[in-house]
PDB file of all heavy atoms in Angstrom:
ATOM      1  N   MET A  24       2.007   3.393  -9.896  1.00 92.00           N
ATOM      2  CA  MET A  24       0.858   4.212 -10.266  1.00 92.00           C
ATOM      3  C   MET A  24       1.310   5.624 -10.706  1.00 92.00           C
ATOM      4  O   MET A  24       2.299   6.151 -10.217  1.00 92.00           O
ATOM      5  CB  MET A  24      -0.103   4.367  -9.084  1.00 92.00           C
ATOM      6  CG  MET A  24      -0.631   3.042  -8.539  1.00 92.00           C
ATOM      7  SD  MET A  24      -1.437   2.014  -9.782  1.00 92.00           S
ATOM      8  CE  MET A  24      -2.860   3.001 -10.196  1.00 92.00           C
ATOM      9  N   VAL A  25       0.544   6.208 -11.615  1.00 90.00           N
ATOM     10  CA  VAL A  25       0.735   7.582 -12.035  1.00 90.00           C
ATOM     11  C   VAL A  25      -0.411   8.376 -11.422  1.00 90.00           C
ATOM     12  O   VAL A  25      -1.570   8.038 -11.671  1.00 90.00           O
ATOM     13  CB  VAL A  25       0.729   7.720 -13.581  1.00 90.00           C
ATOM     14  CG1 VAL A  25       0.805   9.165 -13.995  1.00 90.00           C
ATOM     15  CG2 VAL A  25       1.855   6.907 -14.178  1.00 90.00           C
ATOM     16  N   ASN A  26      -0.108   9.352 -10.645  1.00 83.00           N
ATOM     17  CA  ASN A  26      -1.139  10.137  -9.950  1.00 83.00           C
ATOM     18  C   ASN A  26      -1.947   9.248  -8.992  1.00 83.00           C
ATOM     19  O   ASN A  26      -1.516   8.161  -8.641  1.00 83.00           O
ATOM     20  CB  ASN A  26      -2.028  10.882 -10.930  1.00 83.00           C
ATOM     21  CG  ASN A  26      -1.242  11.789 -11.849  1.00 83.00           C
ATOM     22  OD1 ASN A  26      -0.299  12.452 -11.415  1.00 83.00           O
ATOM     23  ND2 ASN A  26      -1.597  11.815 -13.127  1.00 83.00           N
ATOM     24  N   ASP A  27      -3.131   9.692  -8.625  1.00 77.00           N
ATOM     25  CA  ASP A  27      -3.954   8.940  -7.689  1.00 77.00           C
ATOM     26  C   ASP A  27      -5.005   8.093  -8.370  1.00 77.00           C
ATOM     27  O   ASP A  27      -5.652   7.266  -7.766  1.00 77.00           O
ATOM     28  CB  ASP A  27      -4.660   9.901  -6.713  1.00 77.00           C
ATOM     29  CG  ASP A  27      -3.678  10.541  -5.756  1.00 77.00           C
ATOM     30  OD1 ASP A  27      -2.623   9.924  -5.481  1.00 77.00           O
ATOM     31  OD2 ASP A  27      -3.946  11.656  -5.284  1.00 77.00           O
ATOM     32  N   GLY A  28      -5.190   8.302  -9.676  1.00 77.00           N
ATOM     33  CA  GLY A  28      -6.208   7.555 -10.401  1.00 77.00           C
ATOM     34  C   GLY A  28      -5.758   6.137 -10.715  1.00 77.00           C
ATOM     35  O   GLY A  28      -4.596   5.759 -10.475  1.00 77.00           O
ATOM     36  N   MET A  29      -6.667   5.365 -11.225  1.00 82.00           N
ATOM     37  CA  MET A  29      -6.356   3.976 -11.579  1.00 82.00           C
ATOM     38  C   MET A  29      -6.333   3.780 -13.080  1.00 82.00           C
ATOM     39  O   MET A  29      -6.397   2.664 -13.554  1.00 82.00           O
ATOM     40  CB  MET A  29      -7.407   3.048 -10.972  1.00 82.00           C
ATOM     41  CG  MET A  29      -7.376   2.996  -9.491  1.00 82.00           C
ATOM     42  SD  MET A  29      -8.472   1.707  -8.943  1.00 82.00           S
ATOM     43  CE  MET A  29      -7.859   1.440  -7.316  1.00 82.00           C
ATOM     44  N   GLN A  30      -6.186   4.873 -13.816  1.00 90.00           N
ATOM     45  CA  GLN A  30      -6.254   4.731 -15.263  1.00 90.00           C
ATOM     46  C   GLN A  30      -4.902   4.704 -15.931  1.00 90.00           C
ATOM     47  O   GLN A  30      -4.799   4.277 -17.084  1.00 90.00           O
ATOM     48  CB  GLN A  30      -7.118   5.851 -15.871  1.00 90.00           C
ATOM     49  CG  GLN A  30      -8.581   5.628 -15.511  1.00 90.00           C
ATOM     50  CD  GLN A  30      -9.486   6.555 -16.237  1.00 90.00           C
ATOM     51  OE1 GLN A  30      -9.648   7.699 -15.846  1.00 90.00           O
ATOM     52  NE2 GLN A  30     -10.063   6.081 -17.310  1.00 90.00           N
ATOM     53  N   GLU A  31      -3.854   5.133 -15.268  1.00 94.00           N
ATOM     54  CA  GLU A  31      -2.530   5.151 -15.872  1.00 94.00           C
ATOM     55  C   GLU A  31      -1.515   4.639 -14.855  1.00 94.00           C
ATOM     56  O   GLU A  31      -1.462   5.104 -13.729  1.00 94.00           O
ATOM     57  CB  GLU A  31      -2.181   6.572 -16.337  1.00 94.00           C
ATOM     58  CG  GLU A  31      -0.917   6.673 -17.108  1.00 94.00           C
ATOM     59  CD  GLU A  31      -0.612   8.092 -17.562  1.00 94.00           C
ATOM     60  OE1 GLU A  31      -1.508   8.956 -17.448  1.00 94.00           O
ATOM     61  OE2 GLU A  31       0.506   8.308 -18.003  1.00 94.00           O
ATOM     62  N   PHE A  32      -0.687   3.709 -15.322  1.00 95.00           N
ATOM     63  CA  PHE A  32       0.319   3.128 -14.450  1.00 95.00           C
ATOM     64  C   PHE A  32       1.379   2.442 -15.285  1.00 95.00           C
ATOM     65  O   PHE A  32       1.243   2.293 -16.503  1.00 95.00           O
ATOM     66  CB  PHE A  32      -0.298   2.156 -13.446  1.00 95.00           C
ATOM     67  CG  PHE A  32      -1.188   1.128 -14.044  1.00 95.00           C
ATOM     68  CD1 PHE A  32      -0.701  -0.111 -14.401  1.00 95.00           C
ATOM     69  CD2 PHE A  32      -2.551   1.395 -14.235  1.00 95.00           C
ATOM     70  CE1 PHE A  32      -1.520  -1.066 -14.976  1.00 95.00           C
ATOM     71  CE2 PHE A  32      -3.379   0.448 -14.784  1.00 95.00           C
ATOM     72  CZ  PHE A  32      -2.868  -0.788 -15.156  1.00 95.00           C
ATOM     73  N   TYR A  33       2.471   2.052 -14.620  1.00 95.00           N
ATOM     74  CA  TYR A  33       3.554   1.336 -15.268  1.00 95.00           C
ATOM     75  C   TYR A  33       3.678  -0.041 -14.630  1.00 95.00           C
ATOM     76  O   TYR A  33       3.468  -0.204 -13.435  1.00 95.00           O
ATOM     77  CB  TYR A  33       4.894   2.077 -15.082  1.00 95.00           C
ATOM     78  CG  TYR A  33       4.902   3.426 -15.749  1.00 95.00           C
ATOM     79  CD1 TYR A  33       4.660   4.587 -15.009  1.00 95.00           C
ATOM     80  CD2 TYR A  33       5.168   3.547 -17.099  1.00 95.00           C
ATOM     81  CE1 TYR A  33       4.683   5.830 -15.622  1.00 95.00           C
ATOM     82  CE2 TYR A  33       5.172   4.795 -17.728  1.00 95.00           C
ATOM     83  CZ  TYR A  33       4.926   5.932 -16.966  1.00 95.00           C
ATOM     84  OH  TYR A  33       4.934   7.146 -17.577  1.00 95.00           O
ATOM     85  N   VAL A  34       4.015  -1.015 -15.461  1.00 95.00           N
ATOM     86  CA  VAL A  34       4.239  -2.366 -14.973  1.00 95.00           C
ATOM     87  C   VAL A  34       5.642  -2.780 -15.431  1.00 95.00           C
ATOM     88  O   VAL A  34       6.020  -2.562 -16.574  1.00 95.00           O
ATOM     89  CB  VAL A  34       3.193  -3.363 -15.557  1.00 95.00           C
ATOM     90  CG1 VAL A  34       3.480  -4.776 -15.126  1.00 95.00           C
ATOM     91  CG2 VAL A  34       1.786  -2.941 -15.156  1.00 95.00           C
ATOM     92  N   TYR A  35       6.395  -3.369 -14.511  1.00 94.00           N
ATOM     93  CA  TYR A  35       7.727  -3.869 -14.867  1.00 94.00           C
ATOM     94  C   TYR A  35       7.575  -5.305 -15.326  1.00 94.00           C
ATOM     95  O   TYR A  35       7.149  -6.178 -14.585  1.00 94.00           O
ATOM     96  CB  TYR A  35       8.667  -3.723 -13.663  1.00 94.00           C
ATOM     97  CG  TYR A  35       8.983  -2.277 -13.425  1.00 94.00           C
ATOM     98  CD1 TYR A  35       8.109  -1.458 -12.738  1.00 94.00           C
ATOM     99  CD2 TYR A  35      10.131  -1.721 -13.967  1.00 94.00           C
ATOM    100  CE1 TYR A  35       8.365  -0.100 -12.562  1.00 94.00           C
ATOM    101  CE2 TYR A  35      10.403  -0.375 -13.800  1.00 94.00           C
ATOM    102  CZ  TYR A  35       9.532   0.444 -13.097  1.00 94.00           C
ATOM    103  OH  TYR A  35       9.782   1.771 -12.937  1.00 94.00           O
ATOM    104  N   PHE A  36       7.907  -5.513 -16.607  1.00 94.00           N
ATOM    105  CA  PHE A  36       7.672  -6.770 -17.300  1.00 94.00           C
ATOM    106  C   PHE A  36       8.999  -7.433 -17.622  1.00 94.00           C
ATOM    107  O   PHE A  36       9.875  -6.833 -18.230  1.00 94.00           O
ATOM    108  CB  PHE A  36       6.871  -6.492 -18.559  1.00 94.00           C
ATOM    109  CG  PHE A  36       6.722  -7.663 -19.480  1.00 94.00           C
ATOM    110  CD1 PHE A  36       5.880  -8.712 -19.114  1.00 94.00           C
ATOM    111  CD2 PHE A  36       7.385  -7.731 -20.691  1.00 94.00           C
ATOM    112  CE1 PHE A  36       5.723  -9.805 -19.956  1.00 94.00           C
ATOM    113  CE2 PHE A  36       7.239  -8.823 -21.525  1.00 94.00           C
ATOM    114  CZ  PHE A  36       6.404  -9.864 -21.154  1.00 94.00           C
ATOM    115  N   HIS A  37       9.145  -8.699 -17.212  1.00 92.00           N
ATOM    116  CA  HIS A  37      10.374  -9.468 -17.474  1.00 92.00           C
ATOM    117  C   HIS A  37      10.217 -10.254 -18.759  1.00 92.00           C
ATOM    118  O   HIS A  37       9.172 -10.848 -19.019  1.00 92.00           O
ATOM    119  CB  HIS A  37      10.644 -10.440 -16.315  1.00 92.00           C
ATOM    120  CG  HIS A  37      10.970  -9.731 -15.040  1.00 92.00           C
ATOM    121  ND1 HIS A  37      12.246  -9.616 -14.572  1.00 92.00           N
ATOM    122  CD2 HIS A  37      10.189  -9.078 -14.151  1.00 92.00           C
ATOM    123  CE1 HIS A  37      12.247  -8.933 -13.430  1.00 92.00           C
ATOM    124  NE2 HIS A  37      10.987  -8.607 -13.158  1.00 92.00           N
ATOM    125  N   GLY A  38      11.275 -10.264 -19.582  1.00 93.00           N
ATOM    126  CA  GLY A  38      11.250 -11.051 -20.805  1.00 93.00           C
ATOM    127  C   GLY A  38      11.016 -12.523 -20.485  1.00 93.00           C
ATOM    128  O   GLY A  38      11.521 -13.045 -19.483  1.00 93.00           O
ATOM    129  N   PRO A  39      10.223 -13.196 -21.286  1.00 95.00           N
ATOM    130  CA  PRO A  39       9.866 -14.577 -20.984  1.00 95.00           C
ATOM    131  C   PRO A  39      11.077 -15.523 -21.096  1.00 95.00           C
ATOM    132  O   PRO A  39      11.973 -15.306 -21.936  1.00 95.00           O
ATOM    133  CB  PRO A  39       8.812 -14.927 -22.034  1.00 95.00           C
ATOM    134  CG  PRO A  39       8.938 -13.929 -23.102  1.00 95.00           C
ATOM    135  CD  PRO A  39       9.575 -12.705 -22.503  1.00 95.00           C
ATOM    136  N   ASN A  40      11.088 -16.545 -20.264  1.00 93.00           N
ATOM    137  CA  ASN A  40      12.120 -17.585 -20.355  1.00 93.00           C
ATOM    138  C   ASN A  40      12.065 -18.221 -21.727  1.00 93.00           C
ATOM    139  O   ASN A  40      11.017 -18.242 -22.381  1.00 93.00           O
ATOM    140  CB  ASN A  40      11.889 -18.648 -19.268  1.00 93.00           C
ATOM    141  CG  ASN A  40      12.104 -18.090 -17.891  1.00 93.00           C
ATOM    142  OD1 ASN A  40      12.855 -17.141 -17.681  1.00 93.00           O
ATOM    143  ND2 ASN A  40      11.457 -18.703 -16.916  1.00 93.00           N
ATOM    144  N   GLU A  41      13.195 -18.765 -22.137  1.00 91.00           N
ATOM    145  CA  GLU A  41      13.286 -19.454 -23.430  1.00 91.00           C
ATOM    146  C   GLU A  41      13.052 -18.518 -24.619  1.00 91.00           C
ATOM    147  O   GLU A  41      12.668 -18.963 -25.690  1.00 91.00           O
ATOM    148  CB  GLU A  41      12.327 -20.654 -23.503  1.00 91.00           C
ATOM    149  CG  GLU A  41      12.402 -21.610 -22.349  1.00 91.00           C
ATOM    150  CD  GLU A  41      13.777 -22.262 -22.185  1.00 91.00           C
ATOM    151  OE1 GLU A  41      14.395 -22.632 -23.190  1.00 91.00           O
ATOM    152  OE2 GLU A  41      14.213 -22.411 -21.022  1.00 91.00           O
ATOM    153  N   SER A  42      13.261 -17.214 -24.411  1.00 93.00           N
ATOM    154  CA  SER A  42      13.092 -16.259 -25.536  1.00 93.00           C
ATOM    155  C   SER A  42      14.378 -15.461 -25.657  1.00 93.00           C
ATOM    156  O   SER A  42      15.246 -15.472 -24.777  1.00 93.00           O
ATOM    157  CB  SER A  42      11.909 -15.316 -25.285  1.00 93.00           C
ATOM    158  OG  SER A  42      12.272 -14.315 -24.339  1.00 93.00           O
ATOM    159  N   LEU A  43      14.510 -14.776 -26.768  1.00 94.00           N
ATOM    160  CA  LEU A  43      15.659 -13.861 -26.955  1.00 94.00           C
ATOM    161  C   LEU A  43      15.665 -12.751 -25.908  1.00 94.00           C
ATOM    162  O   LEU A  43      16.677 -12.135 -25.666  1.00 94.00           O
ATOM    163  CB  LEU A  43      15.590 -13.219 -28.353  1.00 94.00           C
ATOM    164  CG  LEU A  43      15.806 -14.127 -29.537  1.00 94.00           C
ATOM    165  CD1 LEU A  43      15.556 -13.357 -30.840  1.00 94.00           C
ATOM    166  CD2 LEU A  43      17.200 -14.712 -29.537  1.00 94.00           C
ATOM    167  N   TYR A  44      14.504 -12.493 -25.316  1.00 94.00           N
ATOM    168  CA  TYR A  44      14.333 -11.365 -24.391  1.00 94.00           C
ATOM    169  C   TYR A  44      14.480 -11.781 -22.928  1.00 94.00           C
ATOM    170  O   TYR A  44      14.312 -10.943 -22.033  1.00 94.00           O
ATOM    171  CB  TYR A  44      12.971 -10.722 -24.648  1.00 94.00           C
ATOM    172  CG  TYR A  44      12.844 -10.251 -26.069  1.00 94.00           C
ATOM    173  CD1 TYR A  44      12.292 -11.063 -27.051  1.00 94.00           C
ATOM    174  CD2 TYR A  44      13.333  -8.995 -26.459  1.00 94.00           C
ATOM    175  CE1 TYR A  44      12.222 -10.648 -28.375  1.00 94.00           C
ATOM    176  CE2 TYR A  44      13.252  -8.597 -27.759  1.00 94.00           C
ATOM    177  CZ  TYR A  44      12.699  -9.402 -28.718  1.00 94.00           C
ATOM    178  OH  TYR A  44      12.635  -8.982 -30.017  1.00 94.00           O
ATOM    179  N   GLN A  45      14.818 -13.043 -22.682  1.00 92.00           N
ATOM    180  CA  GLN A  45      14.993 -13.545 -21.324  1.00 92.00           C
ATOM    181  C   GLN A  45      16.096 -12.721 -20.641  1.00 92.00           C
ATOM    182  O   GLN A  45      17.141 -12.455 -21.204  1.00 92.00           O
ATOM    183  CB  GLN A  45      15.404 -15.013 -21.358  1.00 92.00           C
ATOM    184  CG  GLN A  45      15.594 -15.622 -19.983  1.00 92.00           C
ATOM    185  CD  GLN A  45      15.865 -17.112 -20.041  1.00 92.00           C
ATOM    186  OE1 GLN A  45      15.595 -17.774 -21.043  1.00 92.00           O
ATOM    187  NE2 GLN A  45      16.382 -17.648 -18.959  1.00 92.00           N
ATOM    188  N   GLY A  46      15.830 -12.307 -19.416  1.00 88.00           N
ATOM    189  CA  GLY A  46      16.799 -11.510 -18.647  1.00 88.00           C
ATOM    190  C   GLY A  46      16.547 -10.026 -18.720  1.00 88.00           C
ATOM    191  O   GLY A  46      17.087  -9.279 -17.914  1.00 88.00           O
ATOM    192  N   GLY A  47      15.750  -9.581 -19.671  1.00 89.00           N
ATOM    193  CA  GLY A  47      15.437  -8.167 -19.787  1.00 89.00           C
ATOM    194  C   GLY A  47      14.236  -7.774 -18.938  1.00 89.00           C
ATOM    195  O   GLY A  47      13.379  -8.602 -18.647  1.00 89.00           O
ATOM    196  N   VAL A  48      14.217  -6.517 -18.509  1.00 90.00           N
ATOM    197  CA  VAL A  48      13.083  -6.004 -17.754  1.00 90.00           C
ATOM    198  C   VAL A  48      12.654  -4.706 -18.427  1.00 90.00           C
ATOM    199  O   VAL A  48      13.489  -3.820 -18.643  1.00 90.00           O
ATOM    200  CB  VAL A  48      13.436  -5.731 -16.275  1.00 90.00           C
ATOM    201  CG1 VAL A  48      12.229  -5.160 -15.529  1.00 90.00           C
ATOM    202  CG2 VAL A  48      13.957  -6.977 -15.604  1.00 90.00           C
ATOM    203  N   TRP A  49      11.391  -4.603 -18.764  1.00 92.00           N
ATOM    204  CA  TRP A  49      10.872  -3.423 -19.444  1.00 92.00           C
ATOM    205  C   TRP A  49       9.811  -2.755 -18.595  1.00 92.00           C
ATOM    206  O   TRP A  49       9.010  -3.402 -17.937  1.00 92.00           O
ATOM    207  CB  TRP A  49      10.271  -3.793 -20.799  1.00 92.00           C
ATOM    208  CG  TRP A  49      11.337  -4.130 -21.779  1.00 92.00           C
ATOM    209  CD1 TRP A  49      11.970  -3.262 -22.638  1.00 92.00           C
ATOM    210  CD2 TRP A  49      11.937  -5.407 -21.997  1.00 92.00           C
ATOM    211  NE1 TRP A  49      12.925  -3.946 -23.350  1.00 92.00           N
ATOM    212  CE2 TRP A  49      12.925  -5.253 -22.983  1.00 92.00           C
ATOM    213  CE3 TRP A  49      11.755  -6.666 -21.429  1.00 92.00           C
ATOM    214  CZ2 TRP A  49      13.707  -6.309 -23.441  1.00 92.00           C
ATOM    215  CZ3 TRP A  49      12.522  -7.722 -21.880  1.00 92.00           C
ATOM    216  CH2 TRP A  49      13.482  -7.523 -22.861  1.00 92.00           C
ATOM    217  N   ARG A  50       9.829  -1.454 -18.654  1.00 93.00           N
ATOM    218  CA  ARG A  50       8.784  -0.649 -18.023  1.00 93.00           C
ATOM    219  C   ARG A  50       7.710  -0.456 -19.095  1.00 93.00           C
ATOM    220  O   ARG A  50       7.976   0.109 -20.145  1.00 93.00           O
ATOM    221  CB  ARG A  50       9.390   0.682 -17.582  1.00 93.00           C
ATOM    222  CG  ARG A  50       8.485   1.514 -16.747  1.00 93.00           C
ATOM    223  CD  ARG A  50       9.247   2.746 -16.270  1.00 93.00           C
ATOM    224  NE  ARG A  50       8.485   3.492 -15.305  1.00 93.00           N
ATOM    225  CZ  ARG A  50       8.439   4.806 -15.281  1.00 93.00           C
ATOM    226  NH1 ARG A  50       9.153   5.519 -16.137  1.00 93.00           N
ATOM    227  NH2 ARG A  50       7.714   5.406 -14.364  1.00 93.00           N
ATOM    228  N   VAL A  51       6.530  -0.938 -18.806  1.00 96.00           N
ATOM    229  CA  VAL A  51       5.430  -0.893 -19.778  1.00 96.00           C
ATOM    230  C   VAL A  51       4.364   0.065 -19.261  1.00 96.00           C
ATOM    231  O   VAL A  51       3.876  -0.073 -18.129  1.00 96.00           O
ATOM    232  CB  VAL A  51       4.829  -2.314 -19.991  1.00 96.00           C
ATOM    233  CG1 VAL A  51       3.650  -2.255 -20.956  1.00 96.00           C
ATOM    234  CG2 VAL A  51       5.900  -3.269 -20.498  1.00 96.00           C
ATOM    235  N   ARG A  52       4.040   1.030 -20.089  1.00 96.00           N
ATOM    236  CA  ARG A  52       2.990   2.005 -19.742  1.00 96.00           C
ATOM    237  C   ARG A  52       1.630   1.433 -20.104  1.00 96.00           C
ATOM    238  O   ARG A  52       1.434   0.914 -21.180  1.00 96.00           O
ATOM    239  CB  ARG A  52       3.241   3.308 -20.523  1.00 96.00           C
ATOM    240  CG  ARG A  52       2.289   4.396 -20.150  1.00 96.00           C
ATOM    241  CD  ARG A  52       2.736   5.691 -20.854  1.00 96.00           C
ATOM    242  NE  ARG A  52       1.947   6.810 -20.470  1.00 96.00           N
ATOM    243  CZ  ARG A  52       0.886   7.240 -21.125  1.00 96.00           C
ATOM    244  NH1 ARG A  52       0.496   6.603 -22.238  1.00 96.00           N
ATOM    245  NH2 ARG A  52       0.200   8.279 -20.699  1.00 96.00           N
ATOM    246  N   VAL A  53       0.700   1.545 -19.145  1.00 96.00           N
ATOM    247  CA  VAL A  53      -0.663   1.037 -19.361  1.00 96.00           C
ATOM    248  C   VAL A  53      -1.629   2.177 -19.109  1.00 96.00           C
ATOM    249  O   VAL A  53      -1.534   2.858 -18.082  1.00 96.00           O
ATOM    250  CB  VAL A  53      -0.989  -0.142 -18.406  1.00 96.00           C
ATOM    251  CG1 VAL A  53      -2.404  -0.632 -18.635  1.00 96.00           C
ATOM    252  CG2 VAL A  53       0.029  -1.252 -18.546  1.00 96.00           C
TER     253      VAL A  53
END
Side-chain angles (χ1 to χ4, degrees):
M24 302 304 295
V25 175
N26 303 319
D27 291 333
M29 293 189 161
Q30 289 189 280
E31 186 179 349
F32 51 92
Y33 297 98
V34 177
Y35 289 81
F36 172 71
H37 294 258
N40 293 334
E41 309 300 320
S42 77
L43 293 173
Y44 302 92
Q45 181 175 343
V48 180
W49 287 269
R50 189 174 188 220
V51 178
R52 184 173 185 265
V53 180

